[in-house]
Amino acid sequence: VFSSVTSLLNMSIFKDRFVLEDLIQEFQKKSPALSFGPLQSNGHISVQGSFPAMKLLRDFLLLKAKSLSEEDKRGESKSHRRPRRRLQQHRLTTETSSFIHDADGEKQVVVLDTDVYHYMKDFFPRTFLVADDVVISDITDGDITTVYIESAGSKSDAEQVLRVKEQIENLSLRLHSALRKERIYFEEETGDEKQRYKRACESLKPHYPHVLIIPYGTYIDVIGNASEILEFTKEVSN
């Protein structure tokens, strides 16, 4: 419904660990679709952009806050107040997900838009076809899908897990900026009405090979290039 939303972030939670200006620059590179206002002295900053982009930023912030909490639990610092540290350029991509050390080796966590995840699974399945020593699993919660990439054993190469994570993340970022979604609602809730829409979508699908169709109970989501999905939904309605 809304093409743009605004949120006020309180960045003061990170001020003891990071230089806030550097952290905001990381956010800007991570989320180019969002517009950031000036950083206030109390650590507040306004952010404006699309709701899906805002949700991705939210999950990125939650992962970063969680990683700080895990560091505290491991007791890596003997001080109650840690010195600030500057973010390195090469960490701009790897910091978009949580890196967890577990008993079996290494685990990477990537947070994706669910629609983008479905599109990747359908049109780029090789992204998730990995070697036997790497295991990929996922949990979908509404518009957000969390993908877990981990080594199958303690002897597995952690760098390979990281490479798989970066491939998934880089592809998802490209798709997130390119894909759009249209939703076709059923005019009636009868089974015949739903079947007519589904048959229309199936008959048109060969003419739109890059469009993803996801049927639900009361509507059908159409995901793809903006111009293609507009033409597709128009033809389905006709």
Side-chain angles (χ1 to χ4, degrees), residues 45-231:
I45 185 172
S46 63
V47 186
Q48 186 176 27
S50 68
F51 186 63
M54 200 76 74
K55 291 180 71 175
L56 290 176
L57 176 63
R58 177 200 64 181
D59 287 281
F60 176 51
L61 286 168
L62 289 176
L63 286 174
K64 187 171 287 292
K66 180 181 178 181
S67 67
L68 296 181
S69 176
E70 289 173 349
E71 289 178 4
D72 290 338
K73 290 178 181 179
R74 289 195 297 265
E76 292 181 355
S77 173
K78 297 180 181 179
S79 171
H80 293 291
R81 185 180 181 89
R82 298 187 182 185
R84 298 182 181 183
R85 58 189 177 92
R86 300 186 69 85
L87 300 176
Q88 301 299 317
Q89 288 294 322
H90 69 274
R91 299 182 62 191
L92 292 178
T93 57
T94 59
E95 281 289 342
T96 56
S97 63
S98 175
F99 188 75
I100 304 170
H101 294 265
D102 55 24
D104 297 326
E106 310 291 352
K107 178 187 291 185
Q108 290 283 351
V109 181
V110 184
V111 180
L112 302 175
D113 178 273
T114 297
D115 293 325
V116 172
Y117 176 69
H118 287 319
Y119 197 91
M120 291 172 63
K121 291 276 287 187
D122 195 89
F123 290 99
F124 301 92
R126 294 179 62 87
T127 307
F128 300 94
L129 296 177
V130 294
D132 294 336
D133 55 351
V134 176
V135 178
I136 297 180
S137 58
D138 63 84
I139 297 177
T140 297
D141 182 12
D143 293 335
I144 296 296
T145 294
T146 305
V147 178
Y148 300 90
I149 309 106
E150 56 189 311
S151 58
S154 58
K155 296 183 179 180
S156 299
D157 187 1
E159 292 184 359
Q160 185 174 2
V161 174
L162 182 61
R163 285 196 296 270
V164 173
K165 189 275 297 185
E166 290 177 341
Q167 291 174 0
I168 294 175
E169 188 175 57
N170 291 336
L171 177 59
S172 70
L173 288 174
R174 294 199 302 270
L175 292 176
H176 194 273
S177 61
L179 296 177
R180 298 293 182 269
K181 178 172 72 175
E182 286 289 330
R183 179 163 291 177
I184 303 174
Y185 288 95
F186 301 134
E187 296 177 3
E188 302 173 6
E189 295 186 359
T190 63
D192 292 341
E193 181 73 12
K194 297 178 183 178
Q195 289 302 319
R196 282 200 299 272
Y197 274 97
K198 291 180 180 179
R199 285 196 298 269
C201 289
E202 291 172 359
S203 65
L204 290 170
K205 184 67 173 68
H207 302 287
Y208 297 88
H210 302 296
V211 169
L212 176 63
I213 303 167
I214 307 178
Y216 293 96
T218 57
Y219 58 87
I220 297 175
D221 279 344
V222 182
I223 304 169
N225 175 273
S227 59
E228 285 191 333
I229 63 174
L230 286 174
E231 293 177 6

